[in-house]
Amino acid sequence: NAGVTQTPKFQVLKTGQSMTLQCAQDMNHEYMSWYRQDPGMGLRLIHYSVGAGITDQGEVPNGYNVSRSTTEDFPLRLLSAAPSQTSVYFCASSYSAFLSSGNTIYFGEGSWLTVV
Amino acid sequence: TQLLEQSPQFLSIQEGENLTVYCNSSSVFSSLQWYRQEPGEGPVLLVTVVTGGEVKKLKRLTFQFGDARKDSSLHITAAQTGDTGLYLCAGYTGTASKLTFGTGTRLQVTL
């Protein structure tokens, strides 16, 4: 009963390096998303996907790319890391993109990223 | 950009006390959710409120959605140390995938 799995848990990058945060869910959910969490700012939506082959930008997409080649996986790529991207990243999924009552969003445990 | 402000930002109380956390916005939401997040973990959904004026109870937690669907409150009765965590509200406008999170309230309950 894995739910939403994120890897790695912790990562330190140098400015300018690239990396991919992995996210996988085993609940056959159509909707997947990436958030970043910074102190005093809640969670902010980076990118989201309403199904395989479909992605869209959220509130803070700059510096990040995503793809959704399968229903299960939704990787987040940092093309050229910057110190401003130091944050905790959460992947989330739900059955439907329409987040009404009865449609629960499930979050992964988070990936702590530090860019030096 | 819709903004959800939570108050207070931090709350430290003793076990057995009551507390209320507020979530306010100038925007109207079609539904509002409350989450609890513990250190090193992702947020976990507690409740979703949909109708203006709706009140939902989850054991010692009472959630209320404002009549105008712009604000919400979370009241905890007789807090326990297990209630310690970060409480987040999140508003949904009805547009696919658009969930706006509040700034969070960090609650610490001590013996």
Side-chain angles (χ1 to χ4, degrees), chain A residues 9 31 37 42 90 97 99 101 108, chain B residues 37 40 42-43 50 88 92 97 99 102:
Chain A
K9 183 85 169 178
Y31 173 73
Q37 185 173 33
F90 288 96
L99 305 171
S101 180
Chain B
Q37 183 179 15
V50 178
L88 295 160
Y92 175 56
S97 320
L99 191 66

Side-chain angles (χ1 to χ4, degrees), chain B residues 29-102:
Chain B
F29 294 102
S30 59
S31 66
L32 195 135
Q33 299 181 328
W34 283 93
Y35 292 80
R36 181 167 67 213
Q37 183 179 15
E38 300 192 20
E41 299 182 7
V44 175
L45 180 67
L46 295 174
V47 77
T48 301
V49 285
V50 178
T51 306
E54 181 178 3
V55 176
K56 278 193 175 178
K57 291 192 175 183
L58 189 66
K59 296 183 180 178
R60 294 174 294 100
L61 279 61
T62 301
F63 305 86
Q64 183 162 9
F65 201 12
D67 290 340
R69 305 205 315 274
K70 293 183 179 181
D71 56 86
S72 181
S73 64
L74 158 61
H75 182 79
I76 301 179
T77 303
Q80 299 177 356
T81 54
D83 295 327
T84 293
L86 178 68
Y87 288 82
L88 295 160
C89 64
Y92 175 56
T93 62
T95 303
S97 320
K98 299 298 185 184
L99 191 66
T100 301
F101 278 84

Side-chain angles (χ1 to χ4, degrees), chain A residues 37-114:
Chain A
Q37 185 173 33
D38 301 293
M41 301 189 74
L43 282 87
R44 293 181 292 168
L45 183 64
I46 305 171
H47 285 286
Y48 64 94
S49 169
V50 299
I54 306 169
T55 63
D56 207 344
Q57 296 181 348
E59 182 186 354
V60 288
N62 292 339
Y64 308 95
N65 274 359
V66 292
S67 60
R68 184 96 180 268
S69 56
T70 67
T71 299
E72 294 78 19
D73 300 299
F74 191 45
L76 178 72
R77 281 184 288 277
L78 283 71
L79 303 175
S80 179
S84 61
Q85 293 179 303
T86 293
S87 188
V88 184
Y89 292 84
F90 288 96
C91 180
S93 75
S94 67
Y95 175 76
S96 164
F98 292 94
L99 305 171
S100 58
S101 180
N103 184 18
T104 301
I105 300 176
Y106 296 89
F107 284 83
E109 293 189 337
S111 295
W112 272 253
L113 177 65
T114 301

